[in-house]
Amino acid sequence: MAATVDRDGTGAAGGRVTRRRERTRARLLDAAFTVFAAKGFGRVSIEEVCEAAGFSRGAFYSNFASLDELFFALYRDRAELIAGQVADALARDGGPALDVPAAVDRVTGVLLLDRDWLLVKTDFLVHAARAPAVAATLLAHRAKLRAAIADRLRRARGHTALPAVLGDTDGAARAVVAAYDGVTVQLLLDQDLTAARAWLKQLLTALLTDATTPEPPEHTEPSQHTEPSEHPQPAEHPG
């Protein structure tokens, strides 16, 4: 039986994955990404992935037990990359207060809005919707992304006000991820990356800005005493 690679990086025989195998695995993942994005997960065979990577089926099975396992590994690597990018972008503020416009600029600047990735991600979402075990894994990775956002918002509590309608920081983090999901769907359809980043920036700024803070009253000039008219009107006499 061919050895497989467990999620902790060890092979089925218990040995550490060698650098050569790591390179092979990386090439298989890169090739799979290209093929999945072009054809869709359900229309790709192991042979096509191997051909694109320049390896035999033996090389494939020494790293992955199935196409499903490779697909999951591909999604996991990209999802963890995104979660790390968001966490790093949010961590760059020096103090506890969150500079919302600056943080939004950083987050929208690093988020993966690559159409090929969004195609693969959508395929994985559809696949997970029909496979409860895969769905549980997908939910866990989404929770990791939300946790990175919620952690930063939690540290800003007391320094930066969030809209009360979102509830707590976890609710705000869910709203941020939902905004990202919505923008990426639009991007898949119209393929306008510039508009997608601009719209995402507007949405996140609106979500993370407390619009209920009362504005200071407008300054009004004190009323002036009205001087009597130089030509007063004669009083009317009863008829």
Side-chain angles (χ1 to χ4, degrees), residues 137-201:
T137 301
L138 176 58
L139 288 171
H141 284 296
R142 288 173 67 85
K144 183 181 295 186
L145 176 59
R146 289 198 307 270
I149 299 169
D151 179 66
R152 181 62 187 91
L153 297 178
R154 201 171 291 116
R155 287 189 286 115
R157 183 182 293 169
H159 301 273
T160 303
L162 294 173
V165 69
L166 296 178
D168 56 12
T169 53
D170 289 330
R174 286 180 179 274
V176 168
V177 174
Y180 171 70
D181 287 342
V183 168
T184 56
V185 169
Q186 183 66 29
L187 175 58
L188 274 176
L189 299 176
D190 63 23
Q191 303 183 39
D192 190 338
L193 179 58
T194 301
R197 288 201 185 278
W199 183 227
L200 182 60
K201 185 179 297 186

Side-chain angles (χ1 to χ4, degrees), residues 173-234:
R174 286 180 179 274
V176 168
V177 174
Y180 171 70
D181 287 342
V183 168
T184 56
V185 169
Q186 183 66 29
L187 175 58
L188 274 176
L189 299 176
D190 63 23
Q191 303 183 39
D192 190 338
L193 179 58
T194 301
R197 288 201 185 278
W199 183 227
L200 182 60
K201 185 179 297 186
Q202 292 175 13
L203 282 176
L204 295 185
T205 301
L207 283 171
L208 299 177
T209 301
D210 185 8
T212 63
T213 304
E215 296 182 359
E218 293 183 5
H219 177 71
T220 57
E221 295 293 335
S223 60
Q224 301 293 326
H225 176 68
T226 303
E227 296 292 337
S229 173
E230 294 181 0
H231 304 285
Q233 297 295 322

